[in-house]
Every structure is written in C-alpha cells, then in structure tokens.
Amino acid sequence: MSAAPDRVLDRADALFDVGRYEQAAALAAQHLATDPDDAAALVLLARCQHRLGREREALDTVERALRADPDALPGWLMRTHILLALRRYEEAERAARHSVELAPQYWGGHYALGTVLDRSVRTERRREAYEAARTAVALAPEESDAHFLVGLTAQRTGNHRIAQQAYETALRLDPESSEAHNNLSLLYLRRRWFRRGAWTKAAEGFVESAALDLNDRQARYNLETMAWGAAAGARWVALAGYLAAAIGSGSLRDGPADEGLVAYGVALTVLVGGWAGWVLWNLRRTPPRLRRPLLLVARNCRPVLAMAGAVGLLGLHSAVSMALWTLDAAVFRVLGYPLFWAVVITYWVSRSALQRRRP
C-alpha cells in the first residue's frame, strides 16, 4: 500500500474522531476505490455509516470487511453493534461471542457481549451481562465505558450500591460521560425521599448530562419529569388551600363572628403557610444554577404547563375567595368545583402525556 492511501485513511480516522462522519466516509470510500479489499478501511466506512444511522449499508460494508479478513476483530465488534442497532439480538450475541473467542484478553469483546446480553428481559442473561462487564473492567480498569456497563448491568439487577460506585468511577475516568451523569442521577432520584440533597444531586446530574450532549433526549425527559413532579406535588397544597378557603370564608360569612374569625384565621394560616412552605422547600432544594434550566425545560413541556396551570388557577381561586369573603358563596362554588376537579383530572392526563414523551 502506498503512502498516499495511508494518509487518506489517517485523515478519515481523524475526521471520524471529531464527529465529521460524512467527510470521513467520503475519504474511506476514496481509499477503497484504489484498494477495495482493505478490511480496515471497510470497517471504518461501516463505523461512519453506523453513526449516520445507515445501518443496512453499514452491515453490508462490514460483511465485505469480514469476507476480506474473516478473523478481523474490529469487523466482528462492529458487526455486533450494527446488529444490535437493527435489533437482531441473536445474531449480535453470536458475533459478540465470536469476538471473545478471537481475543479473550481484549476487554472490548467482553464489553460487546455484556451490552448485547443486557438487552435481554431474562434475569439470568442480565447476570451474565454483569459478569461480562466485570471481566471487561478487570481487563481494562482505565476504560470508563467498561465501568459504565458494570453500573448499568448492576442497576438492572437491583444492585444500586455497586451501580453507584461504578458510575462514579466512570465519571472519574471520563467526567464528560453524559450517560454516566444521567444514570447516576436516576439513582439519586430514587432516594430523594430518604437522603437529604438527593433530589438536588439528581437535578445537577441531569442538567450536566443535557449540557454535555445536546441530543440526549433521555436527560431532557428526566428534567421534564422533575419539573412535572414539582408542579404535581403542589396539587396537595392547592387542594388543601381550596378546602381551607371554602371553610374559612364560609364560617366568617355565615357563622358567629368570634367562631368565624377563628376559622378564617386558621384557613388563612393553612393557605399562606402551605404555599409559603412549598415555595421555600423548592427554593432550598433547587440551587440558583439549576432554576433556569428547569424553567426552560418546563416552558417547552405541555404536561408540565398543564399541571402548573391547573394548580395555579385553583390556588388563585382560593386566595380570591379568602380576600372577597363577603361575596355570595355560590359565586365561588361555580368556579371552585370545576377547578378542583380540573386539578385531579389534569394530574392523570398530564402524567400519561408525559410518559408518552419518554424517549
């Protein structure tokens, strides 16, 4: 092979590394025009096609590479990932196992096998995926992807302590791993009711994940879920405030003066204290650096806006009914009942709509 084709392939490799897949594919194809059986160039072209979402073309290309060099480990690994993307899991597993047979001491083969087995719904297969991931870590302890796979497979089997340690190790090795940030934050989110600061750590991780990968729809969805959860949590404050306002304003309007004032004072305390407590609690657990990202996400998510709107209208109705207690109670009942039930119904409808947004 001459020096010039070598340089073309090196440039294609460099372009691939910086994410310029179209240009890398064009240079790989240019190289193959002079050397059509170069397995390394064919694998590189297949990698570009895979990243561009052209899985069928990528599979044809990697098959050409394996015909040119049947024992090419990069070709078998690439074939595994392409078949996985095409959801041809049995073929992907066979390719991954063959990769391990070709190079049992290479961590990438075990990583590929663990990735394939992790897709299974069978518990025993997921345990095997965890063992494959641990083997990959043992062979390459400095590879963050191997630690991430340990975390993922441990999380799937319910071992959250091991999963957290693995994700933290992956982030020490690669602080810009958006997937590790996202999955570690999911673990924090599970513990939000039991560990102080867990909700805040989860939000920080999701924001970091979304910032590192602008195309990460999963991190954005998790932020939407957190924003919706904050709005949905306020429904209890709104419903309690509505009942307190109805009782307090009615007692002051219709009952004895002394008893009415006491009931009104209690209702006012419940209404103001409930909303003040909710606001302070959310301000405390959401640092200033996280408020803007959460607000931006909420502004573009209809389920969050619907839930917040229903809660806000009921809260406003309660405040007005307390302030204008001298008016006929029928005026407030006409609006209050529909707003009360709107909060209840909106909770279930918006929750369902949010779940449909899951990537």
Side-chain angles (χ1 to χ4, degrees), residues 194-207:
F194 310 107
R195 292 195 179 180
R196 186 177 180 181
W199 191 94
T200 303
K201 288 183 178 179
E204 289 174 338
F206 291 142
V207 169

Side-chain angles (χ1 to χ4, degrees), residues 169-186:
T169 302
L171 286 172
R172 281 198 297 272
L173 295 170
D174 181 10
E176 296 187 356
S177 172
S178 63
E179 290 181 322
H181 278 293
N182 184 74
N183 286 22
L184 182 59
S185 296
L186 286 173

Side-chain angles (χ1 to χ4, degrees), residues 129-308:
Y130 173 66
E131 294 302 326
R134 289 185 60 192
T135 301
V137 165
L139 293 170
E142 298 304 314
E143 289 288 344
S144 65
D145 286 345
H147 289 281
F148 174 80
L149 185 60
V150 168
L152 182 62
T153 52
Q155 186 175 356
R156 296 243 203 260
T157 55
N159 197 334
H160 297 137
R161 182 181 62 83
I162 295 295
Q164 180 175 339
Q165 292 174 351
Y167 291 143
E168 289 172 346
T169 302
L171 286 172
R172 281 198 297 272
L173 295 170
D174 181 10
E176 296 187 356
S177 172
S178 63
E179 290 181 322
H181 278 293
N182 184 74
N183 286 22
L184 182 59
S185 296
L186 286 173
L187 292 179
Y188 286 136
L189 196 59
R190 287 175 55 90
R191 303 169 185 170
R192 64 189 181 278
W193 302 115
F194 310 107
R195 292 195 179 180
R196 186 177 180 181
W199 191 94
T200 303
K201 288 183 178 179
E204 289 174 338
F206 291 142
V207 169
E208 183 70 18
S209 178
L212 288 169
D213 185 355
L214 298 179
N215 297 316
D216 188 349
R217 294 176 58 201
Q218 185 63 52
R220 183 177 183 83
Y221 172 77
N222 290 331
L223 285 172
E224 290 174 346
T225 300
M226 296 188 79
W228 180 87
R235 76 188 187 281
W236 298 113
V237 180
L239 294 173
Y242 169 77
L243 294 174
I247 295 170
S249 59
S251 298
L252 189 59
R253 184 171 49 250
D254 303 326
D258 291 344
E259 294 180 7
L261 282 173
V262 171
Y264 185 86
V266 171
L268 189 62
T269 300
V270 170
L271 183 65
V272 175
W275 281 111
W278 181 83
V279 169
L280 289 173
W281 181 55
N282 278 282
L283 287 176
R284 182 178 180 181
R285 69 175 183 167
T286 312
R289 65 183 178 279
L290 300 180
R291 293 171 195 165
R292 179 175 171 78
L294 282 170
L295 286 173
L296 289 173
V297 165
R299 189 178 65 185
N300 295 305
C301 181
R302 290 184 179 180
V304 177
L305 293 176
M307 192 71 246

Side-chain angles (χ1 to χ4, degrees), residues 8-67:
V8 169
L9 204 57
D10 288 342
R11 286 170 55 202
D13 263 319
L15 288 169
F16 180 89
D17 289 340
V18 297
R20 295 170 65 180
Y21 306 123
E22 288 283 7
Q23 295 94 322
L27 284 178
Q30 177 184 330
H31 172 87
L32 288 166
T34 59
D35 189 358
D37 293 326
D38 186 338
L42 286 165
V43 170
L44 176 57
L45 179 58
R47 290 168 63 200
C48 295
Q49 291 165 336
H50 173 60
R51 291 298 181 91
L52 293 168
R54 290 152 34 190
E55 306 298 350
R56 299 289 179 183
E57 294 178 46
L59 184 58
D60 290 340
T61 303
V62 83
E63 296 289 3
R64 285 176 55 197
L66 291 172
R67 284 195 296 271

